[in-house]
Amino acid sequence: MRLIGKEEIENIAIGAALLGTGGGGDPFVGKMMALQAIEENGPVKLLSVDEVDDNDLIVPSAMMGAPTVLVEKLASGDEALKAFNALEEVLNKKIKATMPIEAGGVNSLLPLALAASVGLPVVDADGMGRAFPELQMVTFYLHDVSTTPMVLADEKGNSMVLNTVNGKWAEDIARAATMVMGGSVMNAIYPMSGKQVKASSIYHSLTLEENIGKVIKEAKANKQNPIEEVLQLLGGFKLFTGKVTDIERKTDGGFVRGKATIEGLDQNKGEQCYLEFQNENLMAKTDHEVLCMTPDLICVMDTDTALPFTTEGLRYGARTTVIGIPADEKWRTEKGIEVAGPRYFGYDQDFTPVEQLIRKAGK
């Protein structure tokens, strides 16, 4: 167990933006909520997975909806608390800790804000090791943990409890409800025992995000290349360097969908890279080859500052470096690829790991 304070939050926010692969919501919003909660209530206890009792009730907390909506419709902070209180009433059991549902964007930081407000610890783990757009795209689901009962709560005071037959039904019904409730909600979801958390989660997510933030800051201070340092930390690959020349983005069905075109610079001069996203970056390719595909991570960094871009923050003229990071091995299983691989998102090709694509391209 250790304490998470303001400095740790600042570093986690940088790492969350990177591992969010463009999605997960703007981490700045979650950072400000977490900083305010810590200012008012003190630091948060961060538990390693092995410190969780097998019989404890652990519930992830998260925002659901299109990331662009959250930027304009800020959460008050009360929604997550209402969702937790409602779920405790349904389950007739006290929640012992919360955790992120994903390692990315605002959803890495909201559990810390909630935990500081109510005095709960946070488990240093998550269900993705990155961000994904749909509720069933978590390692909990891969391990047959039930999505429901789950509670959705909005800023107007509305809340609802869902019990569904599987995670895909939970996604479809909750997505429709989210649209009616203004495009974004807070939820309490995947209630688990400590034993289930140990079996199904991806460990040390918040610590990894914190380390990413540290590495970028320290590399800058030491006049090193922060992007190269991040690649070394994560075992990643530089895919493309260029300037954004076009971006199409729309909110559709509760998701931000779109495509960015990057004109190559330096070693990629004369080429173009195309990023396709649904909240998160799903496919990176040129006119001749695929560079990286879901469930592996496609992250876009500012070439000059090394800070990550979200899909809603990507702008015309931005100088970018696109990197690819191997996904956690849970996602490279047959079930993982079925749930979040390229064919699920409508791409007519089988998943190929980023390291194989790099070798094939001779990079």
Side-chain angles (χ1 to χ4, degrees):
M1 188 275 289
R2 64 188 179 96
L3 297 178
I4 298 294
K6 292 183 177 180
E7 182 179 352
E8 290 82 5
I9 293 294
E10 294 283 355
N11 287 327
I12 288 169
I14 295 171
L18 183 79
L19 295 184
T21 61
D26 188 344
F28 178 78
V29 175
K31 180 180 81 169
M32 297 312 294
M33 293 175 66
L35 288 174
Q36 180 179 346
I38 285 173
E39 177 73 27
E40 295 174 355
N41 302 286
V44 175
K45 291 181 180 178
L46 185 69
L47 303 178
S48 63
V49 176
D50 57 13
E51 291 178 292
V52 176
D53 188 89
D54 282 354
N55 296 316
D56 284 350
L57 175 60
I58 314 296
V59 179
S61 51
M63 167 262 181
M64 180 178 185
T68 47
V69 174
L70 185 62
V71 174
E72 298 182 5
K73 194 187 86 164
L74 297 178
S76 69
D78 294 335
E79 301 93 327
L81 179 58
K82 290 176 182 175
F84 261 48
N85 289 341
L87 190 58
E88 283 185 331
E89 188 174 336
V90 169
L91 297 173
N92 194 29
K93 189 173 182 180
K94 294 295 290 183
I95 297 169
K96 292 297 182 71
T98 187
M99 63 185 291
I101 193 172
E102 59 188 351
V106 68
N107 279 338
S108 285
L109 294 146
L110 287 178
L112 293 164
L114 172 66
S117 299
V118 300
L120 284 176
V122 175
V123 181
D124 189 7
D126 84 293
M128 299 184 196
R130 49 160 297 160
F132 276 124
E134 299 185 10
L135 294 179
Q136 78 281 9
M137 294 176 178
V138 289
T139 53
F140 316 138
Y141 181 77
L142 302 183
H143 285 257
D144 298 319
V145 176
S146 176
T147 319
T148 60
M150 67 178 287
V151 179
L152 309 181
D154 68 16
E155 80 289 352
K156 295 176 284 290
N158 298 308
S159 64
M160 63 183 296
V161 180
L162 286 182
N163 283 285
T164 62
V165 295
N166 60 40
K168 180 57 177 160
W169 272 107
E171 161 64 28
D172 292 345
I173 295 171
R175 189 72 53 179
T178 298
M179 295 303 294
V180 173
M181 297 166 84
S184 69
V185 296
M186 298 297 171
N187 59 37
I189 185 173
Y190 284 103
M192 287 177 280
S193 67
K195 186 176 182 179
Q196 288 174 308
V197 170
K198 292 173 184 177
S200 67
S201 64
I202 295 175
Y203 290 17
H204 311 305
S205 305
L206 288 164
T207 295
L208 177 59
E209 290 170 341
E210 183 186 356
N211 287 339
I212 291 169
K214 283 182 181 177
V215 160
I216 291 175
K217 288 182 178 179
E218 289 172 1
K220 290 179 181 179
N222 297 327
K223 308 298 183 184
Q224 297 172 307
N225 185 325
I227 294 178
E228 293 296 338
E229 295 299 311
V230 167
L231 292 175
Q232 184 174 342
L233 174 67
L234 300 175
F237 304 89
K238 185 185 291 186
L239 303 177
F240 200 87
T241 300
K243 180 178 70 174
V244 177
T245 57
D246 188 42
I247 186 160
E248 306 166 16
R249 187 190 295 114
K250 64 178 181 179
T251 301
D252 175 26
F255 302 104
V256 177
R257 304 176 192 266
K259 178 180 179 180
T261 302
I262 302 172
E263 182 181 334
L265 296 173
D266 303 328
Q267 71 272 22
N268 296 117
K269 192 172 180 62
E271 299 179 277
Q272 287 190 318
C273 175
Y274 308 98
L275 295 177
E276 299 177 10
F277 53 85
Q278 178 183 318
N279 288 8
E280 288 75 36
N281 298 314
L282 300 175
M283 184 73 67
K285 59 186 179 181
T286 67
D287 290 315
H288 309 293
E289 60 194 2
V290 174
L291 303 175
C292 191
M293 65 181 75
T294 181
D296 284 344
L297 288 69
I298 303 166
C299 311
V300 184
M301 305 178 74
D302 186 305
T303 301
D304 298 321
T305 68
L307 294 178
F309 282 108
T310 59
T311 52
E312 69 267 24
L314 201 58
R315 294 290 181 266
Y316 175 84
R319 290 174 58 88
T320 61
T321 298
V322 183
I323 68 172
I325 303 167
D328 186 272
E329 287 302 319
K330 288 183 171 67
W331 290 116
R332 291 180 166 198
T333 61
E334 183 177 346
K335 188 171 182 180
I337 293 168
E338 178 186 340
V339 169
R343 290 194 179 278
Y344 179 86
F345 291 101
Y347 296 103
D348 186 21
Q349 57 190 106
D350 294 327
F351 170 70
T352 304
V354 61
E355 60 270 25
Q356 292 183 26
L357 291 171
I358 290 293
R359 283 199 297 270
K360 182 179 178 182
K363 295 184 179 181

